[in-house]
Amino acid sequence: MRKFLIEGLTHRPLTEPAPGPADPALEKLGLQVQSAQHQRLGRSLAIRMVDAGSCNGCELEIHALSNPFYDLERFGLRFVASPRHADVLLVTGPVTRNMVEALRRTHDAMPDPKWVVAAGDCAKDGGCFAGSYAIAGGVASVLAVDLHIPGCPPAPIELLKGLLVVLDSAARA
Amino acid sequence: MPETFQLIPIAAQALRSRPIEAQRVSRVPWSQAAHQLAEGRLTLLGLWASPSAVSMAVLDGAHHLGLLRVDARRGSFPSVGRLHPAAQRLERTIADLYGIIPEDAPDTRPWLDHGCWGLTHPMGETAPQPEAPGPYAFLPVEGESLHQVAVGPVHAGIIEPGHFRFTVQGETVVRLEQRLGYTHKGTASLMAGAPVARGAQLAGRSSGDSTVAYAWAFAQAVEAATATQVPDRALWLRALMAELERLANHLGDVGAICNDAAFGMMLAQCSVLRERVLRTCDLCFGHRMMRDRVVPGGVAQDVDTARVQALVDLVAEIRATLPSLVALYDKVASLQDRTVSTGTLTEALARRFGAGGFVGRAAGRNFDTRKHLPYAPYDQLQFRVPCRSEGDVNARIWQRIEEMEESLSLIAQILARLPSGPIAVPLTPPDASREGLGLVEGFRGDVLIWVALDNRGRIAHSHMRDPSWFQWPLLEAVIEGNIIADFPLCNKSFNCSYSGQDL
Ligand code: SF4
């Protein structure tokens, strides 16, 4: 273990610079947030992640956000275990009918102000699972979505860009 | 004279290369086969329905595969789960989706149908959902000073949804009951009537972490049904992708298991290596998880010499780093304290349920489709199938470590010997309706896909059986007698797929 600790002290971190200004498409999707809310939140957001029926591919890339290359927490973004501590609900997957109630209840448990980010092509409109008897649709069929991050699954850098848009609009008065 | 069941195995050369025909049996031999499963003479590989019949894939003691089929036009079939518990959840699924009833089944509760679809039996004789069903009837528990802990479907971490009902006495788990089906997407209904290309897309999204394994198993099934001969280079590239997928998943999971024992350093180190694998996959195949890169008839992407070199470098880097991570795991006593003798799976149970993958192999069930039901190019590659007997969390970690080493060696061999030639051929159009079976060793275990094509080459029916079907129930067994705080550790060491089992 000593070897790893010494390496940690003597080597430069692997963490990569933050992605540049988000692309205009994402910017356009940026959130309209009232100024009073920004002041209360500052530059930090707690994220509660809910898989509403994904294939688990999106989760793998969301996990990757915490690895040393992307290091999500340096931006003040962190995942929390309880919706009661969360500002952002990050939802993946086509929403299955079996998950509609759990998704809605999780959202209900979050305090205001709150945002909903839908990640992945399935979360937009059901993706390739749309039309099945078991699928309610995209996240927007259950909750009002503030931002959608496309991809199947979205690469971590795309997820990061999207989440930074949320953070920026939350911080911009 | 009463009929006696005799398995007619599918010849090894025919499996995956030619259309298969099921061994049609009547009810008596079907039940006799169920007895043989219960006695351990056969192992269940899959059990599924199509609108008029129920099919069962089994393996005999010499690793010969057979496909049995019993008529179900009367709306029922003799239950296998009555004799062989590993079949129960599959039978409950058949009842939910098709309305075909397993006669005398011990557990008649729904499994995937949570009463939310607005209809019943979506794959059979559909009817509108009569009324909202009552709460799910969890198994009753009786005893002194017991209490229940309900977890899920939404879990604390970044993980798929499912419900766990623990009954505990103090801190000790007396019983765990799982309730799954939350991610049921009705994939089989989307497959029915779809062209093969759409089927491949859906198969690759059954369990995202095993996208290569699924896409390959699906491709095998349709290639067998159409008797299409895939070029060598495509097969070798498929194996290359499959081993990269195995490596990436094992790296991620070993780190995550240790993190669940509060040893974050291992997660950080493993996730660096995992990220390196995914980035190299992105560079070489144009997608971090190599999604949609295995297609029926071949592969969608070739690699040039520069990319082969990038993969050679990746193998060298991981080989240089992995031993120090293994030593790290091996030397931290507080970590071992959590993993050794935690969540022990017995060999008897692993065999009874036909648990595949590292879960089975870490508990003494030495089965690997790459070796025991081999397919190209694995029959031309040198590798070992590690196996151990302790069956605890520690054994599953070591099992994965050794499997990573084998994968690295396989990747190196493939890169050194990659045959030249085309990477895909068009599928031979079928002359009649045909069936094919695909079996691929994913990182989690054997993925089985059955596809029936109609005479125009469209998918008539299909079934995808995730390895998790035979691992999830064992998680219920291994947690018994452990403390509830060790559940995340046990769960992660299994890492069953929710989406894969939820269909
Ligand atoms: S967007 Fe892709 S990776 Fe995400 S849940 Fe859907 S199929 Fe899976």
Side-chain angles (χ1 to χ4, degrees), chain A residues 16 48 55 61 70 96 133, chain B residues 155 182 184 208 275 279 288:
Chain A
E16 295 168 339
R48 172 65 248 213
C55 76
E61 294 297 50
Y70 305 103
T96 63
Y133 62 88
Chain B
H155 298 290
Y182 289 92
H184 177 69
E275 180 69 19
R279 287 183 177 197
R288 286 164 56 89

Side-chain angles (χ1 to χ4, degrees), chain B residues 462-498:
Chain B
S462 67
H463 176 71
M464 300 192 279
R465 198 272 297 137
D466 194 89
S468 305
W469 279 101
F470 303 129
Q471 296 167 345
W472 271 120
L474 300 177
L475 182 61
E476 286 186 349
V478 305
I479 190 64
E480 201 183 305
N482 287 250
I483 58 170
I484 194 163
D486 277 343
F487 180 70
L489 207 56
C490 294
N491 191 19
K492 197 71 212 176
S493 76
F494 270 65
N495 191 18
C496 299
S497 173
Y498 298 70

Side-chain angles (χ1 to χ4, degrees), chain A residues 54-55, chain B residues 160 183 185 205-207 497-503:
Chain A
S54 92
C55 76
Chain B
E160 298 176 79
T183 70
K185 295 184 262 299
R205 285 159 180 79
S206 298
S207 184
S497 173
Y498 298 70
S499 184
Q501 103 91 50
D502 287 350
L503 301 171

Side-chain angles (χ1 to χ4, degrees), chain A residues 4-5 14 16 48 51 53-56 61 63 67-70 81 96-99 128 132-134 152 156, chain B residues 112 116 122 155 158 160-161 181-182 184-185 189 198 205 207-209 265 269 271 275 279 287-288 291 499:
Chain A
F4 287 98
L5 293 174
L14 292 166
E16 295 168 339
R48 172 65 248 213
D51 171 345
S54 92
C55 76
N56 79 27
E61 294 297 50
H63 266 294
N67 76 30
F69 292 90
Y70 305 103
T96 63
R97 292 196 192 277
N98 288 353
M99 273 304 285
C128 67
S132 155
Y133 62 88
C152 178
Chain B
L112 300 181
C116 305
H155 298 290
I158 300 165
E160 298 176 79
Y182 289 92
H184 177 69
K185 295 184 262 299
S189 76
R198 163 103 167 117
R205 285 159 180 79
S207 184
D209 49 18
M265 183 190 272
Q269 298 292 341
S271 65
E275 180 69 19
R279 287 183 177 197
H287 192 281
R288 286 164 56 89
R291 180 155 279 170
S499 184

